[in-house]
């Protein structure tokens, strides 16, 4: 199977039909990631097949948690080189996507990919989650917050739930240790107005990876004192005994 077939067949296993244009966009994204990664540290995963499986298909598993074909607004906190938010935008062009990261150089890369791929309805913001979460234009402004590999759930909930509208969802892409994280993070999720809706299986096609997704519903507005100031959520995670 060549790279394009791997991408198309893998996406199909996740109920996603990619057009030729979308496949082309993923291939350009991969080439830019590999090229820029030689100058700056964007990802440890650089080999063609692995970029397709461990980045692109892994991020597309969000479709197991929620039907992404509806028109929705999405914010990705700690997007790094665009995972999962930029992958979601390419795979589901109907989404309106905001990518956020605290590291400026990653945003420069993302702007370049967005421009080369001629994507619209997508913006990049250089900010820490704790600062942007206080901004009225963004707070409780999104149907979905998606995030991968940024922090454990106790911390991640404080970074992300303030952005989610009531009745919207936090979609947290996680590995096998989700149960432990949920146990540790359950108080924080409740304090911030969330409720675990479902743990979703996210087997990554053509790999041995059996990832999990925490699908957390926003059931109440987040109290205005959250998020606390930058650095506090990691220093003293909400609801976790010292
Ligand atoms: N989500 C990407 C992925 O799965 O490949 C990147 C993961 S990387 C391990 C974590 C990213 O989160 C980094 O790009 C870092 O700059 C960003 N990050 C960490 N804490 C953050 C915060 N408080 N606000 C915004 N971005 C943050």
């Amino acid at each position: 199977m060549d790279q394009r077939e791997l991408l198309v067949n893998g996406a199909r296993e996740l109920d996603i039909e990619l057009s030729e244009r979308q496949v082309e966009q993923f291939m350009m994204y991969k080439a830019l990631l590999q090229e820029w990664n030689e100058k700056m540290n964007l990802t440890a995963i650089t080999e063609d097949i692995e970029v397709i499986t461990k980045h692109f298909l892994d991020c597309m598993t969000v479709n197991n948690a929620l039907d992404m074909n509806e028109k929705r607004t999405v914010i990705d906190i700690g997007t790094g080189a665009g995972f999962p938010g930029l992958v979601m935008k390419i795979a589901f062009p109907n989404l309106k996507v905001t990518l956020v990261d605290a590291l400026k150089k990653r945003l420069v890369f993302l702007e370049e990919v967005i421009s080369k791929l001629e994507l619209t309805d997508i913006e990049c913001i250089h900010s820490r989650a704790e600062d942007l979460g206080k901004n009225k234009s963004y707070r409780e402004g999104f149907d979905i917050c998606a995030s991968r590999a940024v922090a454990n759930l106790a911390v991640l909930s404080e970074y992300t739930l303030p952005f989610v509208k009531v009745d919207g969802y936090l979609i947290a892409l996680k590995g096998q240790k989700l149960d432990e994280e949920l146990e540790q993070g359950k108080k924080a999720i409740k304090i911030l107005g969330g409720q675990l809706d479902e743990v979703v299986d996210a087997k990554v096609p053509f790999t041995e990876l059996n990832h999990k997704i925490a699908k957390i519903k926003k059931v109440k507005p987040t109290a205005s004192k959250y998020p606390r100031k930058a650095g506090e959520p990691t220093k003293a995670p909400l609801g976790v005994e010292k």
Side-chain angles (χ1 to χ4, degrees):
M1 213 177 344
D2 72 12
Q3 291 177 38
R4 284 161 198 262
E5 284 170 337
L6 185 71
L7 180 66
V8 169
N9 293 339
R12 202 168 279 151
E13 276 195 28
L14 300 167
D15 267 341
I16 302 165
E17 277 303 319
L18 296 177
S19 67
E20 270 178 38
R21 164 112 186 98
Q22 286 168 304
V23 173
E24 206 43 56
Q25 286 177 323
F26 274 117
M27 290 300 150
M28 284 167 67
Y29 181 12
K30 177 167 66 62
L32 286 165
L33 181 71
Q34 290 164 327
E35 181 191 323
W36 281 59
N37 206 50
E38 288 179 10
K39 298 177 277 183
M40 63 170 71
N41 178 21
L42 288 168
T43 175
I45 294 168
T46 54
E47 200 256 319
D48 289 326
I49 301 296
E50 294 210 321
V51 173
I52 292 171
T53 53
K54 295 187 180 172
H55 280 321
F56 297 163
L57 295 175
D58 184 39
C59 293
M60 281 188 238
T61 62
V62 294
N63 203 40
N64 293 3
L66 264 183
D67 180 2
M68 293 293 166
N69 288 307
E70 283 180 35
K71 195 157 175 57
R72 300 185 202 255
T73 50
V74 178
I75 189 165
D76 173 359
I77 297 298
T79 189
F83 307 119
L86 188 46
V87 170
M88 290 169 72
K89 177 66 204 176
I90 300 170
F92 311 103
N94 52 296
L95 298 176
K96 190 171 189 307
V97 174
T98 301
L99 304 174
V100 180
D101 204 279
L103 266 189
K104 178 78 186 156
K105 60 176 190 172
R106 304 219 159 117
L107 278 296
V108 177
F109 167 73
L110 295 170
E111 294 284 6
E112 169 81 0
V113 179
I114 289 167
S115 146
K116 288 261 163 72
L117 271 55
E118 298 177 0
L119 298 172
T120 55
D121 265 346
I122 181 163
E123 68 169 337
C124 300
I125 299 177
H126 173 222
S127 176
R128 286 190 67 125
E130 302 94 309
D131 299 327
L132 196 67
K134 295 279 189 203
N135 182 326
K136 288 200 175 70
S137 309
Y138 293 90
R139 193 177 172 90
E140 297 191 330
F142 297 87
D143 301 317
I144 299 170
C145 179
S147 195
R148 186 184 81 164
V150 173
N152 64 43
L153 269 180
V155 174
L156 189 70
S157 303
E158 190 166 354
Y159 286 170
T160 57
L161 280 170
F163 293 104
V164 182
K165 292 178 189 169
V166 170
D167 289 334
Y169 292 92
L170 162 61
I171 303 289
L173 280 75
K174 293 286 177 187
Q176 279 295 314
K177 290 193 178 153
L178 178 58
D179 287 350
E180 275 171 46
E181 278 197 40
L182 277 168
E183 188 52 38
Q184 194 202 35
K186 65 184 179 200
K187 278 195 193 148
I189 294 168
K190 185 156 191 265
I191 293 168
L192 294 154
Q195 190 178 74
L196 178 66
D197 188 75
E198 206 183 335
V199 170
V200 179
D201 286 324
K203 182 185 176 321
V204 184
F206 303 114
T207 72
E208 299 298 308
L209 300 171
N210 287 304
H211 287 166
K212 302 268 179 203
I213 295 174
K215 179 179 176 185
I216 293 165
K217 186 166 184 179
K218 181 93 169 247
V219 291
K220 293 195 303 219
T222 302
S224 58
K225 61 181 168 184
Y226 303 116
R228 290 166 292 167
K229 65 177 195 298
E232 286 286 315
T234 40
K235 223 179 292 162
L238 266 185
V240 177
E241 307 266 325
K242 277 195 187 152

